Amino acid sequence: MTSRDPAPIMPPMADSPFGVIFDLDGTLVASEILYFRATERILAPHGRSLAELTPLERSLIPGRAAIENVRFYCRRFGLPDAPEEVSRRRMEMVCRLLEEDGVVLIPGADAFVRALRAAGARMAVASSSPRRYVERVLAITGLAPHFDAVRTGDDVTRYKPDPEIFELARRALDLPAARCVVVEDAHSGIQAGKAASMRVLAVESEQTLPHQAAAADRVVPDFRGLGVADIAALLEAPAPQGAVPSC
């Protein structure tokens, strides 16, 4: 994978620790195709397709827990099996596709993560996907060693847009919310990051509608050209009016 060089690295911020909490699917890796293909295989025997979904329905899918999406599909398409069974079968397909075809990083992701690590950032992954899948993606992409903590859908009782997963990740990094930036692509994830009183950097997604992404503090097409200075600028910007600090 090639990308433009990131912005110059700032000196390590040992005296002012900061954290970056990344979502995974659609944010660090272009993995939606795996879920798309697996879901289409589930729907095909019933003569249904994800192509039937409206743009708004599509925008609500990324960032939600797998079981929540499957419950939606079962209602939307009238699937006869229990959502728990459909979710299990779909995840088996996703994991099989991951092993067979691998997964592609979002452009610039590897360089950006390495730049943050070199500058002393504390980093976590906070994904609604199951832990076995998340850890396998991080291993396959080579990103695993760069993260101090991983929190997944297996660790929470409330899913995005609830901020629980980001708050768990923040505590694992031992930082206040004011020193953390959430990186997300999904509407529900952007909402969760803001609800956690953190700044949010949004990566553009075909599923997330423009007005949904606009709720973030900054929106970028991908990570190419981004560096530590961009995270510092988000942290140093004045707090949005009405924001509630969290410790």
Side-chain angles (χ1 to χ4, degrees):
M1 183 189 68
T2 61
S3 66
R4 297 195 297 272
D5 292 334
I9 296 175
M10 296 172 61
M13 301 180 184
D15 296 332
S16 183
F18 68 103
V20 184
I21 303 173
F22 290 87
D23 175 49
L24 183 66
D25 296 308
T27 299
L28 284 172
V29 293
S31 51
E32 298 96 331
I33 186 62
L34 302 179
Y35 284 93
F36 175 85
R37 290 167 61 190
T39 305
E40 288 287 68
R41 291 183 185 182
I42 294 287
L43 295 177
H46 304 281
R48 309 302 296 270
S49 169
L50 290 173
E52 299 173 40
L53 299 181
T54 67
L56 179 58
E57 287 174 325
R58 287 177 177 271
S59 75
L60 299 176
I61 291 171
R64 287 195 307 208
I67 186 61
E68 290 190 328
N69 279 329
V70 172
R71 285 172 182 152
F72 164 71
Y73 295 142
C74 287
R75 293 192 306 270
R76 178 67 166 78
F77 299 110
L79 302 183
D81 296 330
E84 292 74 16
E85 172 59 19
V86 176
S87 183
R88 184 195 65 77
R89 285 192 284 121
R90 189 181 74 143
M91 184 50 62
E92 290 295 334
M93 293 180 190
V94 169
C95 289
R96 187 160 57 248
L97 290 168
L98 176 64
E99 296 297 335
E100 293 172 353
D101 302 334
V103 68
V104 177
L105 287 168
I106 297 296
D110 184 71
F112 185 50
V113 167
R114 289 176 182 274
L116 290 170
R117 174 55 78 192
R122 301 177 192 177
M123 291 192 291
V125 168
S127 168
S128 298
S129 294
R131 177 168 291 274
R132 63 175 179 136
Y133 164 81
V134 172
E135 291 183 343
R136 188 60 186 142
V137 170
L138 293 176
I140 287 175
T141 58
L143 292 176
H146 301 298
F147 291 98
D148 303 292
V150 175
R151 296 295 180 267
T152 73
D154 296 341
D155 301 314
V156 298
T157 57
R158 302 182 303 277
Y159 301 106
K160 304 172 186 177
D162 188 279
E164 181 183 8
I165 195 166
F166 289 133
E167 291 171 346
L168 289 176
R170 175 188 65 77
R171 292 183 196 126
L173 299 181
D174 193 24
L175 289 169
R179 296 300 298 166
C180 292
V181 172
V182 163
V183 186
E184 263 284 357
D185 72 302
H187 179 45
S188 62
I190 294 169
Q191 290 178 304
K194 300 304 289 185
S197 299
M198 301 180 201
R199 303 300 171 84
V200 178
L201 174 67
V203 180
E204 290 180 353
S205 164
E206 291 182 359
Q207 286 74 39
T208 303
L209 301 175
H211 76 274
Q212 296 171 337
D217 296 284
R218 182 179 174 186
V219 182
V220 296
D222 53 44
F223 297 110
R224 289 176 290 187
L226 287 183
V228 181
D230 297 283
I231 296 298
L234 283 174
L235 292 173
E236 293 166 6
Q241 188 173 7
V244 179
S246 175
C247 297

